[in-house]
Amino acid sequence: MALTLQTPLYATISSSSSSAASSSSSSTTRSSSFSFLRSTPPPTLIFNFNNNSFPRIRASSTDTVITELDAVSSFSEIVPDTVIFDDFQKFPPTAATVSSSLILGICGLPDTIFRNAVEMALADSECYGFEDNARLSCFAAKALVNIGSDMTKLVPGRVSTEVDARLAYDTPGIIRKVHDLLKLYNDSNVPHDRLLFKIPATWQGIEAARLLESEGIQTHLTFVYSFAQAAAAAQAGASVIQIFVGRVRDWARNHSDDKEIESAKLNGEDPGLALVTKAYNYIHKYGHKSKLMAAAVRNKQDLFSLLGVDYIIAPLKVLQSLKESVASPDEKYSFVRRLSPQSAGRYVFSDEELIKWDQMSLANAMGPAAVQLLTSGLDGYADQAKRVEDLFGKIWPPPNV
């Protein structure tokens, strides 16, 4: 959904879904697109946010009324799924994600301040010596970093950069790509602590995250749909682990052959909420550094059930309802912390869940839900990356080159 905001050019801020928390804390699944339009009077800002963007909501109020948003924000960092014209000041983004989807959105608009970042990438002679696909891949990497570098000047938090999903099963390939992107960011004088790199949670992606984190490079693992993935990602030291509550629930409504999901149902639990709870308890009980993000949260009840998790991505309609509702003692859902290090310490894990995860054990533990949802997510991201390269192949060389 295209969204507009009249704002002075110097104050423009941009962001997208899958990718980061503010610089003081760790960050991001789907990517999104938006742009800034030049105009007179002041330019129009168009936002299309999805759940890969990681802006921080500041819910403080100037009066004495305590809203539900104030109440829940004291337990978790609430992240807006979308930002629109009337609500930009209420839910200001502080961080951004750069993705293939974002590039497609920028190229689909006639005049944005990020359009120059794309044109400069296409005019970069360093890519000219490569052949065909390698040249287009070079252009795409340059465009991602040019846009990301611009964003670090516009938002105070970190910028998360999507790693090509077509490398999801290639650990050395992921590491090379991150190093290449990081070198480009270094050339633009962007500090490492302003950056996250968003990697799919395949075993190869998890292993790449482990090696990158050992170098001090911050990673964000996405497409997590099972406890095995979350635990392996935590053991790898990923800075952020993102679980999609609603997608797990949607799968469970139409299938009945996943052991992990069936176990949650037998316990009277929502499978998506149960997965976040279990992952949170594992991370905190065993002292892992990872921060957990609950994405695809569909309603207030979901949000109330997850209070205490590090980040919650919520739809705008839920945020607006929280903002407009006064917190009172007789609420059906009391505003209490549902997840905490203390409650995590009391959680009991089975011996099978406390293993040192490797490729074989992860493959055996991932049920059909995680396999199917991960595959679907990878297909979507890979398609967007291919579309960017196809587009660049059609418009290159740009004018005056």
Side-chain angles (χ1 to χ4, degrees):
M1 176 175 62
L3 312 159
T4 64
L5 169 67
Q6 295 294 333
T7 182
L9 185 58
Y10 68 85
T12 55
I13 299 178
S14 63
S15 176
S16 73
S17 161
S18 200
S19 189
S22 67
S23 58
S24 62
S25 58
S26 296
S27 113
T28 144
T29 192
R30 297 187 306 266
S31 300
S32 61
S33 59
F34 55 86
S35 67
F36 299 79
L37 299 183
R38 301 180 186 276
S39 63
T40 305
T44 299
L45 178 59
I46 292 184
F47 286 85
N48 279 345
F49 282 82
N50 284 313
N51 67 359
N52 278 344
S53 64
F54 307 162
R56 173 179 294 173
I57 290 181
R58 307 203 182 274
S60 59
S61 177
T62 57
D63 54 35
T64 58
V65 175
I66 302 300
T67 69
E68 290 183 345
L69 183 55
D70 292 310
V72 299
S73 296
S74 66
F75 298 103
S76 297
E77 184 166 319
I78 310 301
V79 180
D81 189 346
T82 185
V83 177
I84 63 171
F85 167 66
D86 290 334
D87 298 280
F88 179 73
Q89 295 301 326
K90 298 179 185 177
F91 312 124
T94 62
T97 297
V98 187
S99 64
S100 296
S101 177
L102 174 58
I103 293 176
L104 292 171
I106 290 169
C107 292
L109 292 167
D111 186 23
T112 81
I113 66 169
F114 293 121
R115 189 61 180 261
N116 183 63
V118 175
E119 292 175 350
M120 290 298 292
L122 291 170
D124 195 318
S125 61
E126 185 177 341
C127 298
Y128 291 3
F130 295 109
E131 295 292 331
D132 301 328
N133 290 340
R135 181 174 62 245
L136 298 177
S137 179
C138 179
F139 287 146
K142 295 274 187 178
L144 285 171
V145 171
N146 287 353
I147 297 167
S149 298
D150 286 349
M151 285 183 175
T152 62
K153 301 170 185 176
L154 298 170
V155 299
R158 291 180 293 183
V159 172
S160 183
T161 304
E162 175 188 292
V163 176
D164 194 334
R166 293 170 294 185
L167 299 172
Y169 296 99
D170 180 359
T171 297
I174 293 171
I175 293 172
R176 283 195 300 271
K177 175 61 72 173
V178 170
H179 284 164
D180 289 345
L181 293 169
L182 193 58
K183 181 180 182 302
L184 295 176
Y185 275 117
N186 287 339
D187 293 341
S188 297
N189 297 315
V190 178
H192 289 196
D193 62 1
R194 297 294 309 282
L195 300 171
L196 284 152
F197 293 93
K198 186 172 159 188
I199 300 169
T202 59
W203 169 254
Q204 292 80 0
I206 292 169
E207 180 67 4
R210 182 183 69 80
L211 296 169
L212 290 167
E213 292 281 352
S214 72
E215 301 176 32
I217 300 171
Q218 299 174 108
T219 60
H220 163 216
L221 286 175
T222 188
F223 299 144
V224 174
Y225 298 107
S226 66
F227 172 75
Q229 286 175 286
Q235 289 182 3
S239 294
V240 174
I241 300 170
Q242 187 168 356
I243 293 176
F244 297 88
V245 176
R247 295 186 192 179
V248 174
R249 177 186 302 145
D250 292 343
W251 192 95
R253 285 171 177 163
N254 300 307
H255 304 81
S256 59
D257 55 344
D258 187 287
K259 181 179 178 181
E260 188 171 346
I261 286 177
E262 291 307 306
S263 176
K265 288 181 177 179
L266 287 174
N267 291 329
E269 300 173 311
D270 175 273
L273 298 175
L275 176 56
V276 173
T277 299
K278 193 172 186 178
Y280 177 93
N281 289 338
Y282 180 83
I283 289 168
H284 285 272
K285 182 168 185 173
Y286 297 104
H288 296 290
K289 75 170 190 178
S290 305
K291 301 295 184 182
L292 191 62
M293 173 175 282
V297 170
R298 302 285 170 75
N299 50 55
K300 283 187 181 183
Q301 290 81 359
D302 284 349
L303 192 149
F304 295 153
S305 298
L306 293 170
L307 291 182
V309 73
D310 299 290
Y311 311 108
I312 301 176
I313 298 178
L316 180 64
K317 64 180 181 180
V318 172
L319 300 182
Q320 191 63 43
S321 177
L322 292 170
K323 185 73 175 179
E324 294 172 351
S325 300
V326 176
S328 58
D330 59 350
E331 290 287 343
K332 179 180 179 181
Y333 294 92
S334 58
F335 300 101
V336 297
R337 182 164 189 160
R338 307 290 180 172
L339 305 177
S340 70
Q342 292 73 29
S343 62
R346 298 189 293 271
Y347 194 92
V348 178
F349 292 89
S350 68
D351 292 340
E352 292 79 8
E353 293 167 337
L354 296 180
I355 63 173
K356 175 65 176 177
W357 293 93
D358 58 22
Q359 185 171 6
M360 184 62 69
S361 60
L362 179 67
N364 290 335
M366 284 178 61
V371 171
Q372 292 174 24
L373 290 168
L374 173 62
T375 300
S376 176
L378 291 175
D379 288 346
Y381 272 35
D383 177 68
Q384 290 173 348
K386 182 64 166 57
R387 287 173 59 196
V388 168
E389 293 176 354
D390 290 345
L391 177 61
F392 285 176
K394 293 176 181 177
I395 64 178
W396 187 84
N400 304 318
V401 173

